[in-house]
Amino acid sequence: MNFSFLPKVLLCLGLTGVIAQAQETVESVRRQIKAVEAETAREKSMHDAEKKRHAEFVEVGRKKVQNLSAQNKSLKAEIDSLKVELKKISNARAKTNGSIRYFEGRKTKYADSLATVIDSLVPFFESDFPYRTDEAVKSIQEIASLLHKGLIETDDALNRTMEVFYDRIRLGYTTEVWKGFLQVDTRNVAGTYLRYGAVASIFVGNDGNDVLFLTRNGSGYAWKNVSEDLTMRTILKDVMKVAEGKTAPRLVTIPVSFPKEAN
């Protein structure tokens, strides 16, 4: 009986070990299944998150494309507007340039005409009272030449011309005495000049023998010698003494010559 009990015990123990081993295998499989399910869930979650991020990226990109499209349309409209404005400006500039050329042409013609008029004043100054007339004529000719060449503006030319006139006008209310020489016949006589405004001029030689005054005739001015006319000679010498301050101031007679048409 002992021998029959022992095999049973061993059999039971073997069966118990097999059952225990089978249970351990089942648990291992369950753990693996859970691990696979957990990994699958994690991958699914990551996939969903990635899918969401991709969807957001696509949406952001779509909005950017829409914004860029709107900006492009706005920029194109602005460019078209600028093209229109540029065309207007170009047309206005063309008209302005045309006006400028027109007025520049008129300005040049006016300057040439004014230069001609100024130059035509030369004979007037040449026939004026013979005192520094060469300077006045030279100034007028120079002004006309500079204006013809476009080196000065018309306003400047007018101002310079008027200044020459003013210088001549100032002669009318000034008196001047100076030493110099006068050609009398074939002699170069040293003496004193007196200019009374722009109407009279007297010359008295240093030795007192030559006394002349300026007269006007049809062809211009000329010196008249009154050395043989004792009365006129005395009058003119007295005039010169008063002008030089060699005698007390007093009224004196100054001969004035007028052209025939003024009589």
Side-chain angles (χ1 to χ4, degrees):
M1 291 179 65
N2 292 333
F3 288 104
S4 61
F5 177 75
L6 181 61
K8 290 180 179 180
V9 171
L10 292 174
L11 179 61
C12 288
L13 291 174
L15 291 172
T16 301
V18 171
I19 293 171
Q21 186 177 3
Q23 289 178 346
E24 184 178 354
T25 301
V26 171
E27 288 297 328
S28 176
V29 171
R30 287 178 178 174
R31 285 195 299 270
Q32 290 178 359
I33 291 172
K34 288 182 178 180
V36 170
E37 289 178 348
E39 182 65 22
T40 302
R42 187 179 70 83
E43 290 181 357
K44 184 176 182 301
S45 176
M46 293 176 59
H47 176 73
D48 292 340
E50 182 66 24
K51 185 178 180 181
K52 182 179 180 181
R53 285 195 298 270
H54 178 71
E56 291 176 350
F57 174 78
V58 171
E59 181 64 20
V60 170
R62 187 180 65 81
K63 289 182 178 179
K64 287 185 177 180
V65 170
Q66 289 178 346
N67 291 335
L68 288 174
S69 178
Q71 290 178 3
N72 186 41
K73 289 181 180 178
S74 176
L75 182 60
K76 185 178 179 181
E78 187 174 353
I79 291 173
D80 292 339
S81 177
L82 288 174
K83 287 181 178 179
V84 173
E85 290 298 324
L86 286 174
K87 187 174 181 180
K88 290 180 179 179
I89 292 173
S90 179
N91 293 336
R93 182 178 296 174
K95 291 181 180 179
T96 302
N97 290 336
S99 299
I100 290 174
R101 287 192 295 271
Y102 171 74
F103 284 108
E104 284 293 333
R106 290 195 61 184
K107 181 180 177 182
T108 301
K109 290 182 180 179
Y110 172 68
D112 290 339
S113 299
L114 180 61
T116 301
V117 171
I118 292 175
D119 192 56
S120 68
L121 297 173
V122 170
F124 170 78
F125 284 101
E126 288 176 337
S127 62
D128 193 20
F129 187 78
Y131 177 76
R132 299 175 64 177
T133 53
D134 291 342
E135 294 181 16
V137 169
K138 184 178 179 181
S139 296
I140 289 297
Q141 290 174 335
E142 182 180 2
I143 293 169
S145 176
L146 292 174
L147 187 56
H148 266 306
K149 295 176 182 178
L151 299 178
I152 58 175
E153 296 293 332
T154 53
D155 291 345
D156 190 17
L158 284 173
N159 290 335
R160 293 189 186 189
T161 304
M162 294 306 298
E163 187 61 33
V164 175
F165 271 104
Y166 292 150
D167 286 339
R168 303 303 296 176
I169 291 172
R170 280 190 284 268
L171 295 177
Y173 51 84
T174 59
T175 300
E176 186 177 3
V177 177
W178 72 96
K179 299 291 183 180
F181 292 86
L182 178 64
Q183 189 73 26
V184 180
D185 297 328
T186 60
R187 297 174 295 117
N188 195 23
V189 180
T192 303
Y193 285 91
L194 164 64
R195 177 185 60 80
Y196 181 74
V199 294
S201 188
I202 298 170
F203 177 82
V204 178
N206 290 339
D207 57 5
N209 293 325
D210 293 291
V211 179
L212 301 91
F213 73 95
L214 200 62
T215 62
R216 186 171 184 177
N217 51 40
S219 59
Y221 288 87
W223 287 98
K224 182 176 181 179
N225 196 329
V226 295
S227 299
E228 303 300 327
D229 187 339
L230 297 180
T231 301
M232 182 63 72
R233 178 175 174 175
T234 300
I235 290 174
L236 295 183
K237 282 186 175 181
D238 288 342
V239 171
M240 185 64 74
K241 288 179 181 179
V242 173
E244 291 182 296
K246 293 180 178 180
T247 185
R250 67 178 188 276
L251 292 175
V252 292
T253 301
I254 298 178
V256 178
S257 179
F258 295 98
K260 292 182 179 181
E261 57 269 20
N263 293 332

